[in-house]
Amino acid sequence: MMKVDAYSHILPAPYFARMRELSGGRAALRRWLELPALHDVEVRLRMMEEFGDDYQQVLTLSSPPIELLAGPDEAVALARLANESMLELCEKYPDRFPAFVAALPMSNPDAAMAELTFAIDGLGARGVQVFTNVGGRPLDDPAFQSVFDEMARRDLPIWMHPARGAGFADYATEDSSKYEIWWALGWPYETSVAMARMVFSGLFQRHPDIKIITHHMGAMIPYLEGRIGLGWSDQLGSRTAGEEYAQLRRDLPERPLEYFRRFYADTALSGSAIGTRCGLDFFGAERVLFASDCPFDPEGGPMYIRETIRVLNELDVTDAERERIYHHNVMRLMRLPVDM
Amino acid sequence: MMKVDAYSHILPAPYFARMRELSGGRAALRRWLELPALHDVEVRLRMMEEFGDDYQQVLTLSSPPIELLAGPDEAVALARLANESMLELCEKYPDRFPAFVAALPMSNPDAAMAELTFAIDGLGARGVQVFTNVGGRPLDDPAFQSVFDEMARRDLPIWMHPARGAGFADYATEDSSKYEIWWALGWPYETSVAMARMVFSGLFQRHPDIKIITHHMGAMIPYLEGRIGLGWSDQLGSRTAGEEYAQLRRDLPERPLEYFRRFYADTALSGSAIGTRCGLDFFGAERVLFASDCPFDPEGGPMYIRETIRVLNELDVTDAERERIYHHNVMRLMRLPVDM
């Protein structure tokens, strides 16, 4: 069965070279350097052979958010470099990389809109990637509204990747750098917060059919379905002085929980069958996309792919549902023909 | 079948009166005032009748963490008032309230140890409640170690309730007060962070059998099983400059994911069948406790109880497993005789 990996990460060589210059050897780069399948396409292609000819990857840029690497002006050139070099990979290896997702210089919203237009119309990108915050500003900030409006108008998806919050502060306690909590738990928290802000700021009222792909299968949302329903949707405002949120609850045409079900969710849960089942039950097979998070696994590439395929093959779903999850859904979202 | 609700909240009248004095009419109290089943025991008892004679509640104090209401000295008297008045309810209504869990003045660690001893030995408390942080200090701070050591020595459980972090800051973006995100998502994040800090600071190495009951069924952990396993347990340190965490990973005798399975988890998921199934698959029927989070539901008392019973009755488990979840496990943890 054809399998199109909807969220795999890449650092095209020209972009990675520039990123290394800009980072000045920052220690955080070590992680990327130690993963050749991320920035060496030959290694990547060899690694993919394990999964046969019917395995493909949609390319998204793996990078810290561009605005952490460069100021608003340099960010424009960086996004362009990323997009042109991802296109190059797609053109050179179309059997492996059927499409790419544009990077945007979000810290410069006007330039982000210009790059969105050029990347989709000029380079053929089939969607855009945003991070859950832009230098600490949430995505429901009015500065970013035009990106969402435009992607809804174009009927193409937005891939949403988590990023640490402003100033790397810790919500909970003194220091989320402790034990890498920022990565394991902070990122899913970030994704969930971004989803909530979209729901409650009325994104799905403005754009009922907007296509937002959430990484890590909706993060905290499916497991907390009850809390989000009876706890939050039906009691919003009860924990706040003032009437603002109680009024918002009355004003929302649908129960907020139902808006949370309108996101799309990828299966990048690092090979957990129980999580995948829960997420699928929450979103439904129409909105779940096979994705591996390749190459950030202990083997540096193939392990999450292998484990995710194992989980999906063992899921109790119909063959038609499994096909949707493996490739129909993502191709439909990108408005590309389904390859049987 | 006997059902002992392992996590329900109460504000005994004398404590609530004192809390209102100390709060000076703070707006946040509105939430508590609007829930008579929380502070009026007659309302509470009438509400419980819906569930028949075989429904009981273990009492835990519902309150902001005591240190948010009072300084370290006043906190001592407040905890004592809470514990004595919870005991009074248990003595007066033993068929409804088989046990209570002691509140502790954690901002004053010496006094917390003294109150722990008095509440258990003098008042008969069957465990203690802690919050996920103490005025922003995490629970793996050495100041609190003696509480954990002592509860392990006594072989009695610690109920862990989420609380907002220091200064109510937001991990993710500008303001977690927005849309009550702090409650819906911030609390489960807090619980998960506290669990992680216990695991990685070696709590289960020091005390392999310590009994920690996590609210909301382990919060983020079960759904992220794969991320915590292949992503975190097996790659700890790879995202950090320096060798400290890579060394910690090598030094831990077991895979960190397996320590996460040693927590106990209550079913307070506000009536979600898919979440409950996922959590049960993660922790196993030996470690899951029926709990409702009563009375914080839209009906102000019975709804979470009713919805949680509905979910547990429909779970595909054996009768013996259902009995464990409904009451055997919690009674065993408290070392009380099981009432058939």
Side-chain angles (χ1 to χ4, degrees):
Chain A
M1 189 180 291
M2 192 69 204
K3 297 177 184 71
V4 179
D5 192 332
Y7 224 138
S8 72
H9 303 288
I10 201 145
L11 274 177
Y15 181 90
F16 189 45
R18 183 75 186 116
M19 180 176 151
R20 291 176 70 174
E21 286 169 16
L22 288 167
S23 305
R26 218 185 286 172
L29 279 183
R30 196 192 69 183
R31 176 77 175 148
W32 282 276
L33 285 165
E34 287 175 353
L35 289 169
L38 188 56
H39 48 81
D40 182 334
V41 73
E42 298 301 329
V43 175
R44 178 71 153 244
L45 292 166
R46 275 200 303 280
M47 181 275 288
M48 291 171 73
E49 287 171 11
E50 174 181 337
F51 306 102
D53 289 340
D54 58 358
Y55 174 73
Q56 300 183 338
Q57 296 185 328
V58 176
L59 296 181
T60 66
L61 183 70
S62 175
S63 161
I66 287 178
E67 64 269 12
L68 297 186
L69 291 173
D73 294 330
E74 173 71 22
V76 177
L78 260 182
R80 177 64 54 89
L81 178 63
N83 295 332
E84 285 178 340
S85 50
M86 283 192 286
L87 170 61
E88 200 182 314
L89 293 174
C90 292
E91 288 182 331
K92 202 161 168 189
Y93 310 104
D95 293 342
R96 286 302 192 192
F97 308 129
F100 77 97
V101 176
L104 298 179
M106 290 289 279
S107 55
N108 186 337
D110 289 341
M113 283 299 288
E115 186 61 24
L116 181 159
T117 301
F118 179 78
I120 294 175
D121 292 339
L123 303 179
R126 301 312 295 165
V128 300
Q129 176 172 253
V130 299
F131 289 82
T132 45
N133 68 77
V134 181
R137 291 159 74 191
L139 290 177
D140 58 334
D141 187 303
F144 312 123
Q145 187 177 328
S146 53
V147 168
F148 289 87
D149 291 349
E150 179 64 8
M151 293 306 290
R153 190 188 71 75
R154 287 174 175 268
D155 192 24
L156 283 174
I158 296 171
W159 273 252
M160 185 165 73
H161 196 284
R164 287 174 87 161
F168 293 9
D170 189 349
Y171 170 75
T173 48
E174 51 191 4
D175 178 11
S176 74
S177 292
K178 194 86 181 173
Y179 307 125
E180 300 179 341
I181 286 169
W182 65 270
W183 176 85
L185 305 172
W187 272 14
Y189 175 68
E190 275 272 350
T191 294
S192 310
V193 168
M195 292 168 74
R197 284 177 166 270
M198 289 176 185
V199 166
F200 290 112
S201 67
L203 179 67
F204 292 101
Q205 284 166 268
R206 289 208 314 282
H207 304 298
D209 298 317
I210 194 167
K211 299 162 169 176
I212 313 277
I213 300 171
T214 60
H215 211 14
H216 311 121
M217 212 147 183
M220 301 166 69
I221 304 301
Y223 192 67
L224 298 178
E225 174 194 53
R227 186 171 184 85
I228 290 166
L230 293 182
W232 203 8
S233 297
D234 302 340
Q235 299 187 70
L236 183 68
S238 67
R239 302 169 189 91
T240 308
E243 270 297 296
E244 181 189 0
Y245 294 139
Q247 189 59 46
L248 171 62
R249 172 161 51 93
R250 289 187 288 268
D251 289 347
L252 281 170
E254 289 185 41
R255 197 179 177 212
L257 176 63
E258 299 311 315
Y259 292 114
F260 280 97
R261 295 193 202 276
R262 296 224 197 142
F263 289 95
Y264 294 81
D266 78 19
T267 64
L269 280 179
S270 310
S272 168
I274 64 172
T276 304
R277 179 77 254 176
C278 179
L280 181 62
D281 286 341
F282 184 82
F283 291 107
E286 295 291 330
R287 290 175 178 270
V288 169
L289 316 178
F290 164 57
S292 68
D293 222 0
C294 163
F296 290 101
D297 61 59
E299 296 176 5
M303 192 175 190
Y304 282 166
I305 303 171
R306 193 186 310 128
E307 290 298 306
T308 306
I309 289 174
R310 180 186 56 75
V311 165
L312 295 184
N313 284 348
E314 290 172 5
L315 266 185
D316 182 24
V317 293
T318 67
D319 283 349
E321 287 171 326
R322 212 181 317 272
E323 275 208 318
R324 279 185 215 126
I325 294 169
Y326 267 132
H327 68 125
H328 285 194
N329 287 343
V330 70
M331 298 305 273
R332 173 172 52 84
L333 286 184
M334 297 192 296
R335 296 200 285 119
L336 289 176
V338 171
D339 183 3
M340 305 309 225
Chain B
M1 193 181 289
M2 192 69 204
K3 297 175 185 71
V4 179
D5 192 332
Y7 224 138
S8 73
H9 304 287
I10 201 146
L11 273 176
Y15 181 89
F16 190 47
R18 184 72 186 118
M19 181 176 152
R20 291 176 70 174
E21 286 169 14
L22 288 167
S23 306
R26 220 186 284 173
L29 278 183
R30 197 194 69 183
R31 176 77 175 148
W32 282 276
L33 285 165
E34 287 174 352
L35 289 169
L38 188 56
H39 48 82
D40 182 333
V41 73
E42 298 301 329
V43 175
R44 178 71 154 245
L45 292 166
R46 276 199 303 279
M47 181 274 287
M48 291 172 73
E49 287 170 9
E50 175 182 337
F51 306 101
D53 289 340
D54 57 359
Y55 173 74
Q56 301 185 335
Q57 297 183 328
V58 176
L59 296 180
T60 67
L61 183 69
S62 176
S63 163
I66 286 176
E67 63 270 13
L68 297 185
L69 291 173
D73 294 331
E74 174 71 24
V76 178
L78 261 181
R80 177 63 54 90
L81 179 61
N83 295 332
E84 286 179 338
S85 48
M86 284 192 285
L87 170 61
E88 197 181 315
L89 293 174
C90 292
E91 288 182 330
K92 201 160 168 189
Y93 310 104
D95 294 340
R96 285 303 191 192
F97 307 129
F100 77 99
V101 176
L104 298 180
M106 289 288 280
S107 55
N108 187 336
D110 289 341
M113 283 298 287
E115 185 62 23
L116 182 160
T117 301
F118 179 78
I120 295 174
D121 293 339
L123 304 178
R126 301 312 295 165
V128 300
Q129 176 172 252
V130 299
F131 290 83
T132 46
N133 69 77
V134 181
R137 290 159 75 190
L139 290 177
D140 57 334
D141 188 302
F144 311 123
Q145 187 178 328
S146 54
V147 168
F148 288 88
D149 292 348
E150 178 64 8
M151 292 307 289
R153 191 188 71 75
R154 287 173 174 269
D155 192 24
L156 283 174
I158 296 171
W159 274 252
M160 185 166 73
H161 197 282
R164 288 174 86 160
F168 293 8
D170 189 349
Y171 169 78
T173 47
E174 51 191 4
D175 178 11
S176 74
S177 292
K178 195 84 180 176
Y179 307 126
E180 300 179 342
I181 286 169
W182 65 270
W183 177 84
L185 304 171
W187 272 12
Y189 175 68
E190 275 273 351
T191 294
S192 309
V193 169
M195 292 167 73
R197 284 178 166 271
M198 288 176 185
V199 166
F200 290 112
S201 67
L203 179 67
F204 291 101
Q205 285 167 266
R206 291 208 312 282
H207 303 298
D209 299 317
I210 195 167
K211 300 160 169 176
I212 313 276
I213 301 172
T214 60
H215 211 14
H216 312 121
M217 213 147 183
M220 301 167 70
I221 304 301
Y223 191 67
L224 298 178
E225 175 194 53
R227 186 173 185 84
I228 290 166
L230 292 182
W232 201 9
S233 297
D234 302 340
Q235 299 188 69
L236 182 69
S238 66
R239 303 169 189 92
T240 308
E243 271 297 295
E244 181 189 1
Y245 294 139
Q247 190 58 47
L248 172 61
R249 171 162 50 92
R250 290 187 286 268
D251 289 346
L252 281 169
E254 290 185 42
R255 198 178 177 211
L257 176 63
E258 299 312 314
Y259 293 113
F260 280 97
R261 294 192 203 276
R262 297 225 196 141
F263 289 95
Y264 294 81
D266 78 18
T267 65
L269 280 178
S270 309
S272 168
I274 65 172
T276 304
R277 179 76 254 176
C278 180
L280 181 62
D281 285 341
F282 184 82
F283 292 106
E286 295 291 331
R287 290 175 179 271
V288 169
L289 316 177
F290 164 57
S292 68
D293 220 1
C294 163
F296 289 100
D297 61 59
E299 296 176 5
M303 192 174 190
Y304 282 165
I305 303 171
R306 194 186 309 127
E307 291 298 306
T308 305
I309 290 174
R310 179 186 57 74
V311 164
L312 294 183
N313 284 349
E314 289 172 6
L315 265 185
D316 182 23
V317 294
T318 66
D319 284 348
E321 287 170 327
R322 213 181 317 272
E323 276 207 318
R324 277 185 217 126
I325 294 169
Y326 267 133
H327 68 125
H328 285 194
N329 288 343
V330 69
M331 298 305 273
R332 173 174 51 86
L333 286 184
M334 297 191 298
R335 298 201 282 120
L336 290 176
V338 172
D339 182 4
M340 306 309 226

